[in-house]
Amino acid sequence: MKAGHGKVVRVHYRLTGDDGTLLDSSEGQEPLTYLHGYDGLLPGLERGLEGMEAGQRARVDLLAADAYGPHDPEAVIRAARDQFPEDLVLTPGLEVSARSDEGTMTFRVVEVSEGGAVLDGNHPLAGQNLHFDVNVVEVREATAEEIAHGHVHGVHDHEH
Ligand code: ZN
């Protein structure tokens, strides 16, 4: 069976950057499971998996623009120490959320100084070209309920 619209696909992947750095991997975990054609994956990665069958491997290369977009320098901001809760220990990599009129935004702490911190609101993979090595484990028909919900069932319990 080929991966395509309305199929549930289980796939192991390794994600590397341009310099070969490992960014993410399903190794040692359950394979990534998604419902094809329902916005469960990066569109470019889904296109790369289209038509693949269990046992097949492929390399899918995505430009940053087709992945998480360019890194937006305007989303990098400096925040004073008194803008954070007093008991919060600021460390690089920590995720903090900030509420504004436009909703809640998540920032990553990238730099900490006496006076405060530099925060980056970009997706951690923004600005990076992504290289996926994929290995399709299984392709099956989705159930009518999965199609109705637009996501896969039976992997993790979830609320409806
Ligand atoms: Zn559901």
Side-chain angles (χ1 to χ4, degrees):
M1 190 179 296
K2 288 178 162 47
H5 193 90
K7 301 289 192 291
V8 171
V9 183
R10 281 158 45 90
V11 57
H12 270 303
Y13 68 94
R14 270 173 63 88
L15 169 60
T16 50
D18 281 341
D19 61 0
T21 306
L22 184 66
L23 300 172
D24 192 12
S25 167
S26 63
E27 216 168 292
Q29 302 172 50
E30 284 294 303
L32 172 71
T33 304
Y34 74 97
L35 178 57
H36 199 102
Y38 289 79
D39 300 325
L41 275 196
L42 283 171
L45 178 56
E46 191 171 79
R47 272 196 301 278
L49 286 161
E50 181 96 36
M52 286 184 67
E53 298 181 67
Q56 288 191 311
R57 292 167 181 270
R59 169 92 160 185
V60 181
D61 299 302
L62 300 184
L63 290 173
D66 298 319
Y68 293 100
H71 186 269
D72 176 9
E74 292 197 359
V76 179
I77 58 169
R78 188 169 283 279
R81 185 66 188 88
D82 61 12
Q83 287 180 267
F84 300 97
E86 244 175 83
D87 56 352
L88 182 71
V89 180
L90 289 170
T91 46
L94 181 74
E95 288 196 345
V96 295
S97 46
R99 251 176 305 252
S100 74
D101 299 341
E102 287 156 44
T104 305
M105 243 189 109
T106 301
F107 293 88
R108 243 170 335 115
V109 175
V110 288
E111 206 183 300
V112 182
S113 64
E114 282 285 286
V118 176
L119 305 177
D120 189 347
N122 286 286
H123 187 281
L125 296 175
Q128 297 211 51
N129 299 326
L130 304 182
H131 308 281
F132 289 92
D133 287 297
V134 296
N135 178 7
V136 176
V137 177
E138 184 192 8
V139 180
R140 66 163 169 86
E141 291 290 350
T143 65
E145 194 186 43
E146 285 171 327
I147 295 287
H149 288 195
H151 56 230
V152 177
H153 285 168
V155 187
H156 303 288
D157 291 331
H158 69 282
E159 302 283 334
H160 284 108

